[in-house]
Every structure is written in C-alpha cells, then in structure tokens.
Amino acid sequence: MAVLQGSTAIVTGASSGIGRAIAHRLGAEGSHVFIAGRSGERLEALARSIEAAGGKASTGAFDLRDYQKLQAFIAEAADLTGRLDIMVNAAGIDYPGTIVSGELAHWRDMFDTNVIAVLVGSQAAVRAMRATQSKGHIVTIFSYAGTGEGYRVYGATKAAVNSLCKALRGELEDEPIRSVTIMPGAVATNFGRNFPPEFVSGLLKSVGIASDFETGDVLSDETLEALRTRAPAIFASADDIARAVL
C-alpha cells in the first residue's frame, strides 16, 4: 500500500526541477498533490503524468509573489480534502552577478520568491493544518549556498530561509506539526536559466554535451539526465531530493 495513501500535499515550484520530482513521487505514494507554479502547461502535463501513474493532482498556475493567490490555493486544498499533511516549499530563483553589478529588480525577485513566499506559504499551511487538526510536515528546500560562505545575494536569501525555518521549528515544538529543511548541493535542473549562455554552454561542454543555450531557455529532460549521469560526483538528480522529502 502507498505510504501516503489518503494524504494531502502541496508543492510549490512544481513546474520543473526539484518541485516536479517531489510532486510526482508524493503522488505515486498516494497523496492528492496540489501543485503550484508559473507554467500552467507544464503543471497540466505533470498532473496528467501523476494521474497516469494512479495518483491524483490539482493544479494552480500563478506567480508565487501573488501572495493572496498562494494563501487561497493552500486554504482551498485543505477545504477540498479536509486535511493538509504536507507542505513543500520548493520554488526558488537565482540571478547571477555580484552585489556591485546586481540589479534591484533581481534582488527583489529573489527575496520575494525565495524568502517571502516561503513565509507566506508556511504560515498559511500551519493555519490550515491547525484548522483541520492535521499532523503535518512543512518541508523547505534549503541550499548549501545559504551556509554563510558568500554565495552572492542568492546565498543570502537561503541563509534567511534557514534561519526562519529554525524559528518556525521552535514555534511548533509543542504541536504535532514539524518544520524540516533539506539542503541539496548541485542538482541537475534548469536552475541556471537566468545565467549567461557561455556559463551554461561551457558547463555542458565540459561533460561532452553540445548546447546552443540562450538565457531563459529550458533544457530538456534528456539533457539534464545526461548532465547528471556524466558528472555524478557533482550533480544529484531531482529525484534524489524527492526521495529525501518522502
């Protein structure tokens, strides 16, 4: 029997990468997975894949920086199913560049997505879990970049997330709700889509993969799998992180 049969899970950042892998694995284990992200087309494709494997999925295509929509999506999942067992904060965005050369819009995008959306989503999830008397888990995907070693502004957002998740863990100490973080290293995903073409193409070329990548492109699943298998000492797979969440 699936270990999560009958449970309700929410996964943000499910359009691609780690979030997509987590949603697929939780769905395969019996959760009704509510998946959120920016790309409605990719979310619908993921939902079809989850359902084809015997799972159940509901989609919500919106920008996580629309915090009212995020709150409503979480509340709706709990209202529809009468419970909320799992909330996974998997969305994240990175813009390269130094502090001196950085852009204000990019800094805001990273903090709004990587930090504020985690706060809003976690708060809404706790309230839904309390309201439905669920023994829930709030899982946040952290990063080695937030360990305080100077990984640019992105690293600062992840350091903030780690601190906030520790604070939340303390707040929930006397409740049947857990707050946990998972800290991946490098994972073969499309996380570098905002990076310069020469960086991404150079990385792929270093392991023998030809590429004409342009900033904003989405690498195919085949390319990402080739990257992982050719450089296994460097890159984990998205499913490695999904299994850790499970």
Side-chain angles (χ1 to χ4, degrees):
M1 183 175 178
V3 297
L4 298 177
Q5 192 66 44
S7 66
T8 299
I10 296 170
V11 182
T12 67
S15 299
S16 63
I18 292 172
R20 182 177 65 176
I22 292 170
H24 206 288
R25 187 161 284 276
L26 296 183
E29 289 295 340
S31 276
H32 180 169
V33 187
F34 288 76
I35 49 178
R38 297 186 186 187
S39 174
E41 183 178 348
R42 280 184 276 177
L43 288 174
E44 290 297 335
L46 173 60
R48 289 193 296 270
S49 178
I50 290 172
E51 290 172 352
K56 189 172 184 180
S58 300
T59 65
F62 57 90
D63 190 324
L64 289 183
R65 294 173 297 176
D66 188 335
Y67 304 128
Q68 288 185 328
K69 284 188 178 179
L70 176 57
Q71 290 168 325
F73 184 72
I74 293 167
E76 181 181 14
D79 288 343
L80 287 173
T81 64
R83 61 193 298 160
L84 179 56
D85 304 277
I86 304 160
M87 171 72 191
V88 183
N89 297 303
I93 191 167
D94 184 11
Y95 289 96
T98 64
I99 292 173
V100 174
S101 67
E103 297 182 24
L104 177 58
H106 291 169
W107 297 342
R108 281 180 171 159
D109 197 2
M110 283 189 283
F111 272 95
D112 288 348
T113 303
N114 299 355
V115 182
I116 304 301
V118 170
L119 276 171
V120 172
S122 297
Q123 181 190 64
V126 169
R127 290 175 175 176
M129 289 172 181
R130 286 173 172 171
T132 57
Q133 297 184 325
S134 302
K135 296 180 179 180
H137 273 77
I138 297 171
V139 182
T140 301
I141 306 302
F142 178 44
S143 170
Y144 74 92
T147 56
E149 301 299 329
Y151 287 100
R152 304 174 284 102
V153 176
Y154 171 74
T157 68
K158 289 301 184 179
V161 165
N162 190 41
S163 179
L164 292 168
C165 288
K166 287 180 179 178
L168 180 60
R169 194 148 51 241
E171 290 182 31
L172 299 172
E173 185 63 30
D174 296 326
E175 300 187 46
I177 302 172
R178 301 286 70 136
S179 169
V180 300
T181 53
I182 292 176
M183 185 179 72
V187 183
T189 70
N190 272 290
F191 206 72
R193 60 187 177 273
N194 294 317
F195 282 61
E198 56 270 21
F199 174 84
V200 176
S201 294
L203 176 63
L204 294 171
K205 184 179 179 180
S206 71
V207 294
I209 302 172
S211 170
D212 55 359
F213 175 87
E214 294 294 336
T215 300
D217 285 353
V218 175
L219 298 175
S220 68
D221 290 344
E222 292 76 16
T223 298
L224 294 173
E225 179 60 17
L227 177 62
R228 187 192 68 81
T229 56
R230 296 185 189 191
I234 300 174
F235 292 100
S237 73
D239 191 58
D240 291 331
I241 314 307
R243 287 188 287 107
V245 171
L246 179 61

